[in-house]
Amino acid sequence: MALYGAAAAVLEGLERGAGGVKALVFQSRFPLYALVSETLRYSAVLEELLAGAALLRAEKKLSPQLAKVLVYDLLFGKGLKCGGRWKALARRHRARLEAELARLKVRRKVSRNEELLAPAQAGGPGASQVPRYVRVNTLKTCVDDVIEFFKREGYCYLGKAASVEELRSLSGKKFLLDLHLPELLVFPPQTDFHDNVLYTSGHIILQDKASCLPAFLLSPAAGAHVIDACAAPGNKTSQLAAILENRGQIFAFDVDTKRLATMSTMLTRAGVTGFQLAQQDFLTVDPGDPKYSKVAYILLDPSCSGSGMVNRVPVAEAAPSAERLQALAGFQRKVLSHGLSFPALRRLVYSTCSLHREENEDVVGAVLQEWGSAFRLVDAFPGWPCRGLAAFPGAESCLRASAADTLTQGFFVAVLERRGDGAAACRSLPAAAGDSPQHGEGTEPGAAPKKRRRKKQRKVCAALPGNCRCSKQRRSGGKQVK
């Protein structure tokens, strides 16, 4: 009951304009994003079913939002998970709701639930085109084992993608290895792994490809000290820990207590060690504190307008006003400049999920000008197709992403490095996955990977997450990472 009540509260918050979907979901202690986004996607259909079945007239104490969530999971989801009176109520009306759904399909002359959705919800540009990206958590397993696990689950592995168009054509139970990021698997849009054992055990992370870019490009060396300045919900933090191989130290900051609590649970499930969470505004962190004297890498993903967030949630949010953008950009310039003031800093990655130049190129350009020749903008990921807008000389070194061009969330990434002796020991930027052979490259679709083939007697450890030790032993010198 609590799960559905929390999801209904998110829907109510959206109607009141209390925040965006992700912000409201993060305030809850439940993993609600998939349930809320799918309920929103079917919202018009659910309203028609509720009206036809007269459910709200029959059940006076049932709110429209709670009714939508319950009926979605009853008819379109994986079945009601709750107990108590709400489950009994929904089941009491099940026959009438199923009959109304059947009549609606007849009226619309369709046979599948998905065909009831409007084009903008079912197959239009933006959200519905973005694949389901699955990052393999190498703290607990390895890519080959996860591929074998999904093949055992009935999925067909097609090898490594050669182009974005291959990702666009995915359907059914087919999946690919991403062409840019070596630990990212790509499945068709709307594939749901929230109940999959690999997700619930922390062996895989459901993270958009564009969101993987900042930590990938920061590329801290194992053993380094790193700051994740605006860390919640923790996907990027867990990715940093995997890159660090759980060696070194991550200092993660966020101002929201609930988000940090959720993040702590997520990091523990992912097997992350060597991190310190602090409920603190990053702007109040003292760069001169001896605790941070070895911090050489900073990942900075500050609050932004979120205008690039298009994935899976068919809710049109109003464009931010000029005043709102100006206020955000002022905060972003301040926090970026603060990040550059850490004395041992070698590399900083600045990213937003915004499409607005004011929050992206304009911020980076202004801060670089403020710092003179102390830092330079790195030409990151030359093979990435979308570059920064020509806001200042060299802005094309920045990266942009969008649903239309890269099949991802809308994103912006800039990599800044200190010039001179302070950057001498800085680890070089990583190469794209396409620069070297990866997991089954050159094999027929569905064939087992030839590289790093294990002996026949070894079981696929990803099939039993609790027993998966291959990656742990490799990364901890043979000792199991707790």
Side-chain angles (χ1 to χ4, degrees):
M1 187 293 191
L3 173 73
Y4 294 109
V10 171
L11 296 180
E12 291 171 4
L14 285 170
E15 292 176 6
R16 294 195 314 270
V21 176
K22 285 206 167 186
L24 293 172
V25 166
F26 291 153
Q27 293 172 14
S28 170
R29 59 189 177 93
F30 295 102
L32 299 173
Y33 189 77
L35 176 60
V36 169
S37 61
E38 286 301 290
T39 301
L40 288 169
R41 199 161 71 99
Y42 277 90
S43 182
V45 176
L46 292 168
E47 289 174 0
E48 196 164 345
L49 293 175
L50 291 172
L55 182 60
L56 296 176
R57 287 204 303 269
E59 303 291 344
K60 303 291 186 184
K61 295 183 178 180
L62 187 64
S63 73
Q65 297 83 8
L66 182 55
K68 281 185 180 181
V69 175
L70 290 170
V71 174
Y72 166 76
D73 235 11
L74 179 69
L75 299 181
F76 304 107
K78 296 184 177 180
L80 293 171
K81 304 177 184 68
C82 66
R85 64 190 184 108
W86 296 124
K87 186 173 186 177
L89 180 151
R91 286 185 169 178
R92 190 162 63 245
H93 295 277
R94 181 171 192 160
R96 195 181 340 172
L97 287 164
E98 288 177 340
E100 189 60 35
L101 176 60
R103 284 194 288 270
L104 181 59
K105 287 180 177 178
V106 170
R107 289 199 300 272
R108 300 272 186 91
K109 298 180 181 180
V110 300
S111 58
R112 296 170 55 246
N113 292 336
E114 191 84 9
E115 294 171 332
L116 291 170
L117 299 175
Q121 296 166 314
S128 62
Q129 294 182 0
V130 176
R132 165 64 72 191
Y133 292 101
V134 172
R135 179 170 62 80
V136 176
N137 178 14
T138 55
L139 293 175
K140 285 198 161 187
T141 185
C142 50
V143 174
D144 287 340
D145 288 336
V146 173
I147 289 172
E148 288 300 318
F149 174 87
F150 282 120
K151 286 165 67 176
R152 284 172 174 255
E153 293 276 291
Y155 288 87
C156 178
Y157 177 53
L158 303 180
K160 190 176 72 178
S163 66
V164 171
E165 289 307 311
E166 279 195 57
L167 305 184
R168 199 185 303 274
S169 64
L170 277 174
S171 62
K173 298 194 76 171
K174 298 174 182 178
F175 72 108
L176 289 157
L177 182 71
D178 185 66
L179 67 159
H180 294 116
L181 303 181
E183 288 157 356
L184 199 65
L185 301 177
V186 191
F187 292 80
Q190 307 303 334
T191 304
D192 186 6
F193 288 126
H194 286 86
D195 294 326
N196 189 281
V197 65
L198 291 189
Y199 173 72
T200 57
S201 63
H203 284 60
I204 60 173
I205 310 293
L206 305 182
Q207 184 175 357
D208 184 74
K209 177 177 177 176
S211 176
C212 294
L213 288 173
F216 178 75
L217 293 174
L218 187 64
S219 187
H225 285 209
V226 182
I227 281 180
D228 190 349
C230 308
N235 284 343
K236 297 183 186 72
T237 313
S238 68
Q239 187 182 1
L240 286 171
I243 294 169
L244 289 168
E245 301 175 357
N246 257 343
R247 292 184 282 163
Q249 185 67 51
I250 299 174
F251 302 98
F253 300 94
D254 203 272
V255 295
D256 191 286
T257 306
K258 290 183 179 179
R259 283 161 60 97
L260 279 176
T262 302
M263 178 177 172
S264 179
T265 301
M266 181 267 183
L267 294 179
T268 301
R269 185 177 66 213
V272 177
T273 60
F275 65 93
Q276 294 183 28
L277 301 185
Q279 183 191 355
Q280 185 176 357
D281 184 342
F282 178 61
L283 283 172
T284 68
V285 178
D286 181 9
D289 189 326
K291 181 191 297 188
Y292 311 118
S293 63
K294 296 181 181 179
V295 169
Y297 300 89
I298 293 180
L299 192 154
L300 179 59
D301 189 54
S303 298
C304 69
S305 65
S307 55
M309 302 297 291
V310 298
N311 197 20
R312 300 179 183 89
V313 184
V315 177
E317 299 186 12
S321 64
E323 293 78 11
R324 170 68 173 158
L325 281 178
Q326 186 176 14
L328 284 168
F331 163 74
Q332 291 153 353
R333 287 193 299 269
K334 187 182 297 184
V335 75
L336 176 54
S337 185
H338 182 68
L340 295 180
S341 67
F342 282 73
L345 181 69
R346 299 171 186 169
R347 178 183 297 148
L348 182 148
V349 169
Y350 172 82
S351 64
T352 74
C353 54
S354 170
L355 301 176
H356 297 291
R357 167 177 161 168
E358 293 90 335
E359 301 178 87
N360 298 327
E361 291 89 355
D362 288 354
V363 167
V364 172
V367 173
L368 282 174
Q369 187 174 18
E370 174 190 337
W371 279 83
S373 60
F375 290 90
R376 68 186 183 96
L377 189 61
V378 179
D379 187 11
F381 227 149
W384 188 257
C386 298
R387 315 305 301 186
L389 303 178
F392 61 91
E396 66 278 2
S397 295
C398 303
L399 307 183
R400 277 181 168 263
S402 68
D405 297 321
T406 57
L407 288 184
T408 65
Q409 303 276 8
F411 232 77
F412 172 86
V413 185
V415 182
L416 287 74
E417 283 186 356
R418 188 183 297 276
R419 293 181 186 271
D421 295 339
C426 194
R427 181 180 178 181
S428 60
L429 286 173
D435 295 342
S436 59
Q438 295 286 339
H439 313 284
E441 183 177 3
T443 64
E444 291 298 317
K450 292 181 179 179
K451 190 177 181 184
R452 295 163 56 201
R453 187 187 297 273
R454 287 162 172 75
K455 294 179 181 179
K456 289 184 179 180
Q457 65 267 27
R458 289 193 62 184
K459 302 295 183 182
V460 177
C461 57
L464 294 172
N467 295 323
C468 180
R469 301 177 187 274
C470 63
S471 179
K472 296 177 184 179
Q473 292 172 344
R474 183 167 61 250
R475 295 186 180 279
S476 60
K479 294 180 180 179
Q480 183 177 350
V481 176
K482 300 295 185 183

